[in-house]
């Protein structure tokens, strides 16, 4: 019987189950014969999903998921059960807390009455909240400050929430219009 000659256009023989996940299986991905495998292996063009990859903003703030019709909301939804307004710790106890504890309460309990109590205590300890940087600042002890009508330049200490420690910065300009100048009062 004559041997069949397979030319370059002949399709490969079907793979055994154990070969699909080896080098022979990789050959079908390289040849791009299966569109589902191509999407899985090579991905998809993100601009077809409505993403502006040239934007200077972070993508996670606007991209909810590939199946969402609208961009994500800027402010996350907080379930009502987490918005507890109770006096678990009276304000007089906040005077005894360390700075790290006050910062933890401020950053970990948003929109809670305890957050206001922690902010009020930080404010009474000469810490000021920068609304733009979303960080707490205080003057460094024994440092020379240059004050103008709109800003103050000198050595400051801020609380770094990523490293969870106080960091001193030299020759830093703190603008008064960026500070939250209201006294925090819990009503």
């Amino acid at each position: 019987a004559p041997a069949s000659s397979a030319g370059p256009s002949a399709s490969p023989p079907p793979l055994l189950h154990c070969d699909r996940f080896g080098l022979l299986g990789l050959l079908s991905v390289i040849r791009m014969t299966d569109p589902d495998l191509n999407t899985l292996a090579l991905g998809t063009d993100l601009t077809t999903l409505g993403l502006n990859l040239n934007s200077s903003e972070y993508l996670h703030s606007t991209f909810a998921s590939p199946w969402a019709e609208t961009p994500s909301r800027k402010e996350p939804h907080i379930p009502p059960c987490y918005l507890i307004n109770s006096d678990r710790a009276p304000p007089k106890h906040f005077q005894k807390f360390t700075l790290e504890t006050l910062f933890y309460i401020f950053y970990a309990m948003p929109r809670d009455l305890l957050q206001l109590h922690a902010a009020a205590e930080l404010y009474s300890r000469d810490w000021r909240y920068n609304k733009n940087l979303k960080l707490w600042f205080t003057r460094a002890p024994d440092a020379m400050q240059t004050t103008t009508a709109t800003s103050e330049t000198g050595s400051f200490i801020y609380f770094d929430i990523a490293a969870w420690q106080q960091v001193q910065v030299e020759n830093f300009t703190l603008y008064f219009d960026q500070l939250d100048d209201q006294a925090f009062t819990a009503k």
Side-chain angles (χ1 to χ4, degrees), residues 9-186:
S9 63
S11 62
L15 295 175
L16 297 173
H17 182 71
C18 61
D19 290 335
R20 287 179 48 207
F21 303 104
L23 290 177
L24 290 176
L26 186 60
L27 189 58
S28 64
V29 174
I30 294 171
R31 289 185 178 158
M32 297 185 178
T33 56
D34 185 1
D36 292 332
L37 271 178
N38 294 344
T39 303
L40 181 64
L42 303 176
T44 186
D45 183 14
L46 295 178
T47 57
T48 62
L49 299 174
L51 290 176
N52 181 5
L53 298 179
N54 295 325
S55 174
S56 62
E57 292 186 31
Y58 292 114
L59 293 178
H60 68 81
S61 63
T62 59
F63 183 67
S65 85
W67 302 278
E69 296 292 327
T70 59
S72 66
R73 297 187 309 248
K74 294 283 185 184
E75 190 70 28
H77 171 70
I78 300 175
C81 62
Y82 287 102
L83 302 175
I84 300 171
N85 290 325
S86 66
D87 280 328
R88 289 176 284 201
K92 62 181 178 180
H93 289 156
F94 280 77
Q95 298 170 359
K96 301 174 187 175
F97 291 157
T98 64
L99 282 174
E100 288 78 14
T101 304
L102 292 171
F103 287 124
Y104 173 78
I105 293 170
F106 179 82
Y107 287 111
M109 301 176 183
R111 298 185 183 161
D112 195 332
L113 188 60
L114 294 176
Q115 183 187 38
L116 288 177
H117 289 312
E121 181 60 29
L122 287 167
Y123 196 82
S124 72
R125 295 184 191 185
D126 292 327
W127 285 82
R128 299 297 179 258
Y129 187 70
N130 186 308
K131 297 179 285 189
N132 293 2
L133 299 175
K134 296 183 176 17
L135 295 172
W136 285 91
F137 285 86
T138 190
R139 292 179 185 97
D142 301 325
M144 295 295 296
Q145 308 290 348
T146 306
T147 305
T148 66
T150 59
S151 67
E152 186 172 329
T153 303
S155 295
F156 290 93
I157 297 173
Y158 73 94
F159 188 79
D160 183 0
I161 59 174
W164 207 255
Q165 64 182 1
Q166 297 178 37
V167 178
Q168 184 166 343
V169 290
E170 304 292 330
N171 201 22
F172 183 78
T173 302
L174 198 59
Y175 295 97
F176 299 137
D177 63 341
Q178 295 178 354
L179 297 178
D180 196 349
D181 58 355
Q182 64 183 351
F184 296 95
T185 57

